[in-house]
Amino acid sequence: MKSKLRIGILLDDYHIPAWAYKMLETINSNPSGEIVLTLKRKTEKIDKQNFLSKITASLRESFFSFWYRIDKKLNKCSPDAFETKNIENLFPSARIEIGLKPNNTVDPNYRCTIEEIKKYKLDLIIKIGTGIHGGDILKFSRYGMWSFYHPEHPLINGGIAGVWEVLDKHDETEIHLIIHTAKEGQILLNKSTFFTNNSSIYRNKDNYHWRASSLIPMKIQELYEMGEEAFFKQIKSLNEHPPFYSNKQNSIPGYIDLLFFFHKMALKKISNKLRDLFYFDQWIILFKLNSSDNISTSFSQFKKIIPPKDRFWADPHIIKRNGKYYIFMEELKYAENKGNICVIEMDEQGNYTGPFKVLEQDYHLSYPFLTEDQGTLYMIPETKQNNTIELYKCTDFPLKWELEKVLINNIKAVDPTIIFRDNKYWLFCDVTRTQGPSALEEMFIFYSDELVSDRWISHPQNPIISDKKRSRSAGNFFTWKDKLYRPSQDCFKHYGQSMKINQVIELTENSYKEEVVDSILPDWDNNILCTHTINSVDRLTVIDALIRRRK
């Protein structure tokens, strides 16, 4: 059995923000790593600012801090990445206070020496808090010190990371995870991006830090499973080219920057409030019946099925029986805020009846994926709220379904989609491994020799895709001219924004490859805002779309 990685934590205080607490909690609960030492740093500070510079900086920081508190009050986040938590009772690791000089060399007169810390045989150190990244601290561990790279400032937890991206209207906010080593300097370990929340600095910073909280636990797990040689060979491609940095050096925003941003946000909020007085957004179903058995690709010709104003319909999936099409979909009534599964019956001319409710649970249901196995029809709806992936058997078509098997337990999976290929069942789903408004969803693959089984094997490349622009499933696989395609959602700017079409190049027990070949954008109708599901059976193709309606 492999030995756990021995991990040390370097921090400024035992009271840390919730995002960092969650990160350490995740690390210590996994079999890959164990936090064995906490280093609380006491740093000797040297103030080189003159009196006038101190006054100017103090006023600038005070103004930003005041404005930031207002932003936080107006844009509350739950859970809040910056809620303070005490680390002392989180895990039973040894605790040492360490004195560091401004250049990060250890003060030998302050309680401990390098030799004492080396006794713990650390594999890596995780830095939480402020300070530089060089000096003696890099000699303490085998794989250096791991930290997030962004401009820092002691005014607010996390510095000004995620601030200027909002003020400068950047589409993306990027996070870099860096290894700092004594021999090789900085090594890029991972980078992640999310769409900048341009309406709130506080929310964007909250997103930033919840996203960051998942990166180190993931990389520790990879290092543990792959081993040192394979792990560092994998990240070598991220460090093949010089890391040029052409952005301006940022500091605390000034008065004009914040006043301009506040003015812009105030106008936007007023505009949104006025819009919400008269309009609301609603998911609907659209369909087209072709003259031949091919997937429809021209969406301007699709007909709309619009639900009553008290609910929405989304995630349509199709099965054909006795010359009729049955469109299973999520129905959510706004007053209940919980999805159930309904079905619409449609003939070859496009006439339809329904919808009729077919499946409801105490928890939210959506994305009713359909599959047949040995003459039996099954449904795998999304049951993320129940922390399961569930298989339902049709006992009286199309209205009665019974739970047949929990395929995977203790998993927060969305939009499970199965394909039978090469005598195996391949289950694709996005898995949420973090919390917060910027929870990172990544595409995972599990495979099994049998559909009705709870022995699904995790693909060795998991997570297969860590990209909100194309990871999440958008419907069943389909073939076109003997090529296999996987539709996926582009959720980068917001949920359900549009779709990508990905050609599957390789699918085996050891590898998966796909490439984006096209996009489906909600541009064919000025009233359509988003589209995120497509399915086709014989002549019928269905999609969903978000529209704006008058109240």
Side-chain angles (χ1 to χ4, degrees), residues 394-420:
C394 186
T395 56
D396 186 8
F397 184 81
L399 299 179
K400 292 187 178 179
W401 300 77
E402 294 179 359
L403 179 63
E404 179 75 3
K405 191 82 173 177
V406 175
L407 303 185
I408 304 178
N409 253 313
N410 300 316
I411 186 172
K412 290 187 176 296
V414 297
D415 301 343
T417 304
I418 285 182
I419 183 172
F420 183 71

Side-chain angles (χ1 to χ4, degrees), residues 115-170:
E115 286 68 31
E116 287 181 75
I117 296 173
K118 285 184 175 179
K119 291 178 184 178
Y120 289 90
K121 298 180 180 179
L122 299 176
D123 290 303
L124 61 102
I125 292 175
I126 300 170
K127 184 180 80 70
I128 300 171
T130 59
I132 61 176
H133 305 95
D136 291 340
I137 198 73
L138 302 182
K139 303 174 184 177
F140 295 165
S141 62
R142 183 178 180 184
Y143 302 122
M145 183 169 68
W146 295 18
S147 73
F148 299 108
Y149 178 79
H150 51 71
E152 292 179 348
H153 196 281
L155 177 66
I156 298 167
N157 265 324
I160 57 171
V163 172
W164 281 98
E165 290 87 347
V166 179
L167 297 178
D168 287 343
K169 301 179 183 178
H170 292 177

Side-chain angles (χ1 to χ4, degrees), residues 10-106:
L10 177 66
L11 40 76
D12 300 327
D13 193 276
Y14 292 129
H15 292 83
I16 62 175
W19 71 267
Y21 187 94
K22 178 63 178 178
M23 175 180 71
L24 300 182
E25 192 176 48
T26 301
I27 291 170
N28 224 43
S29 64
N30 288 341
S32 54
E34 179 183 12
I35 297 172
V36 297
L37 179 63
T38 302
L39 294 167
K40 182 176 177 292
R41 64 202 295 266
K42 182 176 181 179
T43 306
E44 177 186 327
K45 295 182 179 179
I46 298 178
D47 190 354
K48 295 182 179 180
Q49 286 186 316
N50 59 41
F51 179 75
L52 183 59
S53 297
K54 286 181 183 178
I55 293 296
T56 303
S58 178
L59 289 173
R60 192 184 184 101
E61 290 177 5
S62 296
F63 184 76
F64 180 61
S65 181
F66 171 74
W67 190 92
Y68 186 76
R69 288 196 296 271
I70 294 175
D71 189 356
K72 178 180 178 180
K73 193 169 184 177
L74 294 175
N75 297 283
K76 292 180 181 179
C77 299
S78 181
D80 186 342
F82 304 114
E83 178 188 352
T84 302
K85 291 181 175 287
N86 192 333
I87 198 178
E88 292 181 272
N89 298 320
L90 181 57
F91 39 77
S93 65
R95 295 184 181 90
I96 294 177
E97 288 199 6
I98 180 172
L100 293 178
K101 295 182 178 181
N103 62 356
N104 264 9
T105 57
V106 174

Side-chain angles (χ1 to χ4, degrees), residues 299-312:
F299 301 104
S300 61
Q301 301 173 22
F302 276 51
K303 297 180 180 179
K304 297 174 182 175
I305 304 177
I306 300 179
K309 291 184 177 181
D310 66 339
R311 68 195 69 189
F312 72 67

